[in-house]
Amino acid sequence: QVQLVESGGGLVQPGGSLRLSCAASGSGFSIRSMGWYRQPPGKQRELVVLIDRLGSTNYADSVKGRFTISRDAAKNTVYLQMNSLKPEDTAVYYCNTVPASVDWGQGTQVTVSS
């Protein structure tokens, strides 16, 4: 069974940093674009960043310059380094293919608050 497991979220103050991890089971992920999505309270889930099969990345304007996505093929893991966090970054963060094609994991909560 294909499974995505996110981890690394938590409570941080504005300006703080977090590093999220997404462990993906199964094969074939290395040839797919992978992305991080987030769902703020009361809002729809949205794609914030992706990394394609060649390693090229695309970031939403809201996170550009602050977030960095990377992937480790050997570990079948995708990471999201988040710096200079803002309260508006508060959301449940999920990983998935882009477009999403795997069952969603539980996500990991990121709360940015003073």
Side-chain angles (χ1 to χ4, degrees):
Q1 180 80 312
V2 177
Q3 187 174 0
L4 300 168
V5 180
E6 301 92 348
S7 62
L11 173 64
V12 297
Q13 295 187 205
S17 297
L18 285 173
R19 180 177 167 86
L20 308 184
S21 298
C22 170
S25 66
S27 62
F29 290 100
S30 64
I31 64 173
R32 302 178 185 178
S33 294
M34 296 293 295
W36 284 95
Y37 302 74
R38 68 185 182 187
Q39 186 170 24
K43 293 182 168 54
Q44 68 180 15
R45 183 153 42 202
E46 64 181 355
L47 178 67
V48 296
V49 58
L50 68 85
I51 183 166
D52 70 14
R53 67 172 68 184
L54 301 178
S56 296
T57 57
N58 283 293
Y59 297 86
D61 288 341
S62 59
V63 306
K64 193 175 300 180
R66 300 187 298 119
F67 291 11
T68 303
I69 189 173
S70 61
R71 64 197 305 174
D72 186 330
K75 297 180 180 179
N76 217 24
T77 301
V78 182
Y79 303 95
L80 183 65
Q81 178 66 47
M82 306 187 297
N83 299 324
S84 302
L85 284 162
K86 304 175 179 179
E88 50 263 47
D89 296 319
T90 295
V92 179
Y93 283 72
Y94 303 86
C95 63
N96 212 316
T97 55
V98 183
S101 64
V102 179
D103 287 349
W104 298 99
Q106 292 183 347
T108 185
Q109 175 72 50
V110 172
T111 302
V112 185
S113 176
S114 59

